Amino acid sequence: MTKAPASLHQPLIARRMDRVASFLAMDVLSAAAAKERRGDSVIHMEVGQPSAPAPRAAREAAKTALDLGRIGYTEALGLSVLRERIARHYRDTYGVGIAPERVVVTTGSSAGFVLAFLSLFDQGQRVAITAPGYPAYRNILEALGIEPVTIPLAKADGWIMTARAIEKAHAEKPLHGILAMSPANPSGTMIGRKALAELGETCRRLGLWFVSDEIYHGLTYGEPASTALASDDDAVVINSFSKYYCMTGWRIGWIVVPERLVRPIERLAQNLYISPPYLSQVAALAAFDAVEELEAVKAGYARNRAYLLEELPGVGITEMHPVDGAFYIYADIARYTNDSIGFSKRMLEEAGVAATPGLDFDPIEGSHYLRLSFAGSESDCRETVARLKGWLR
């Protein structure tokens, strides 16, 4: 059989891969690791990863399950006991009743986005996302042939997606859905209960799907976060055990979907990854009972947040988005540079501080922004300020 020339395959590869940009936070992490291998000291402020381990109860549950021997598949939608516990979480935390059958356990929130996008949108349809915003939204949508539509955020609106902005974008060229995040990555800014309800109402009126990314719920420093399900039962909500529950590497999350989407998503899950990892599901179930331990971790973030908000203006970083939740500071560094990628590289090499350039989150204005994660230790935050004082003088 004659093998087809490689050139015949190249156009398809180019069309798919050229649309998917690098995840710059991971590129910075790689460069920081290389610097550490050379024996240099690095303070890691680049990735959104808790420095604390998974809760003790979660680790012990996983050990017990491992000792029993057999680690196998589960149902594609996840262990029924975990789905029931997640449904109870919505009742206890938000006063929202949802049927456990509407909960889909996923291999991290990343798999949740893929399942949601595939089930909600056809190729060529248009989904509104924000700038700044989590870069994987854009990249996953592009990889699936769905068009991301950028909604620039404005200080006058409190740096949040608004119903007015969605109506305007939809009037210019019809949308098929929106994706909002609260608390937000990279900024930590929150959408209040009223504004979130207005987004849901606008989506219902315009016939759009409303996807709400709520993976930083639990990590707020004033008012608690609201779930889109409190005002829109048709919303598709995505959450994760990675952030509040400190379980990034366990790759376990969930989505809540309308009943009519459960079977289509189940078919996708069966074929894409069969089932979420059993050990991670067992650990996640136990994590719900570790609130005291997790609140102590959150208190550490709160101290880091307060310290950085007080000290960063002293090194010349004065303009930041509101840090309502999550564990990030998204800072305007226009006084220093209009090349956030180059600035981030120099800061790593010369000051030993790893941070993510704003272009990861905003292709429009991100050239003069930088994201700093304060999910690490208090000593790391203090050392970061000390190094920046010397480097930026």
Side-chain angles (χ1 to χ4, degrees):
M1 182 176 178
T2 303
K3 186 177 181 180
S7 60
L8 292 181
H9 301 289
Q10 188 59 36
L12 178 60
I13 295 172
R15 283 197 304 273
R16 287 183 176 175
M17 299 309 296
D18 286 351
R19 291 196 298 263
V20 180
S22 296
F23 197 162
L24 295 180
M26 300 308 295
D27 287 347
V28 174
L29 177 64
S30 179
K35 184 175 176 66
E36 287 177 312
R37 288 194 295 271
R38 297 194 297 269
D40 297 332
S41 168
V42 174
I43 304 297
H44 288 276
M45 308 286 279
E46 76 276 36
V47 290
Q49 174 164 261
S51 57
R56 179 180 298 276
R59 303 197 308 271
E60 292 299 328
K63 287 178 184 177
T64 300
L66 191 60
D67 288 342
L68 293 177
R70 185 174 181 275
I71 307 299
Y73 297 135
T74 70
E75 296 174 72
L77 297 178
L79 292 169
S80 60
V81 65
L82 179 55
R83 297 169 73 195
E84 290 167 1
R85 183 62 185 85
I86 291 170
R88 193 178 111 202
H89 168 72
Y90 279 89
R91 185 182 70 244
D92 295 347
T93 305
Y94 310 104
V96 174
I98 59 169
E101 292 77 18
R102 293 174 54 193
V103 177
V104 179
V105 182
T106 60
T107 308
S109 63
S110 299
F113 287 116
V114 173
L115 291 173
F117 295 162
L118 283 172
S119 63
L120 298 177
F121 308 114
D122 290 327
Q123 285 194 352
Q125 291 191 326
R126 307 174 77 246
V127 177
I129 60 174
T130 63
Y134 181 52
Y137 299 154
R138 177 182 302 278
N139 293 334
I140 294 172
L141 289 167
E142 292 276 16
L144 297 176
I146 302 164
E147 181 184 351
V149 178
T150 300
I151 305 292
L153 301 182
K155 185 175 184 178
D157 295 324
W159 301 111
I160 63 169
M161 178 184 278
T162 65
R164 184 180 68 257
I166 294 304
E167 289 194 88
K168 180 181 176 183
H170 185 69
E172 291 172 356
K173 187 176 180 180
L175 299 169
H176 298 87
I178 74 167
L179 198 169
M181 185 184 205
S182 177
N185 178 7
S187 65
T189 303
M190 285 207 311
I191 303 173
R193 181 185 300 271
K194 182 174 182 290
L196 198 62
E198 289 173 351
L199 282 174
E201 189 280 327
T202 299
C203 286
R204 289 193 300 275
R205 178 164 43 82
L206 299 178
L208 312 180
W209 282 108
F210 180 17
V211 182
S212 180
D213 181 347
E214 302 179 358
I215 72 170
Y216 291 98
H217 275 216
L219 297 177
T220 61
Y221 306 104
E223 290 294 317
S226 298
T227 177
L229 291 168
S231 55
D232 186 357
D233 193 54
D234 227 23
V236 173
V237 166
I238 297 177
N239 209 322
S240 171
F241 288 93
S242 290
K243 308 302 181 179
Y244 177 75
Y245 297 96
C246 303
M247 296 178 66
T248 51
W250 297 77
R251 308 312 304 133
I252 192 76
W254 76 83
I255 57 179
V256 180
V257 301
E259 186 177 348
R260 63 189 182 280
L261 288 180
V262 172
R263 181 54 181 161
I265 285 180
E266 182 176 24
R267 294 197 302 267
L268 284 169
Q270 289 169 342
N271 287 282
L272 289 176
Y273 55 81
I274 301 179
S275 71
Y278 172 75
L279 274 182
S280 297
Q281 292 186 72
V282 170
L285 179 63
F288 277 114
D289 297 324
V291 172
E292 184 176 352
E293 182 179 349
L294 295 169
E295 285 296 304
V297 173
K298 176 182 168 181
Y301 301 152
R303 290 190 293 271
N304 290 347
R305 171 184 177 272
Y307 176 77
L308 291 174
L309 290 178
E310 181 178 349
E311 296 294 328
L312 285 178
V315 304
I317 298 176
T318 58
E319 296 295 323
M320 313 168 207
H321 285 216
V323 191
D324 303 320
F327 35 55
Y328 306 113
I329 287 176
Y330 193 59
D332 190 338
I333 53 171
R335 67 185 299 177
Y336 296 113
T337 188
N338 198 36
D339 174 16
S340 60
I341 293 178
F343 185 88
S344 173
K345 288 179 179 178
R346 293 194 306 275
M347 191 166 75
L348 174 60
E349 286 303 315
E350 298 169 12
V353 176
T356 305
L359 279 173
D360 212 12
F361 313 101
D362 186 350
I364 302 169
E365 298 290 341
S367 60
H368 58 92
Y369 276 89
L370 194 72
R371 189 194 74 175
L372 296 163
S373 168
F374 54 83
S377 68
E378 294 179 53
S379 61
D380 279 351
C381 290
R382 293 179 181 277
E383 179 64 18
T384 293
V385 170
R387 292 188 185 193
L388 291 182
K389 279 181 178 177
W391 187 63
L392 291 173
R393 70 172 59 173

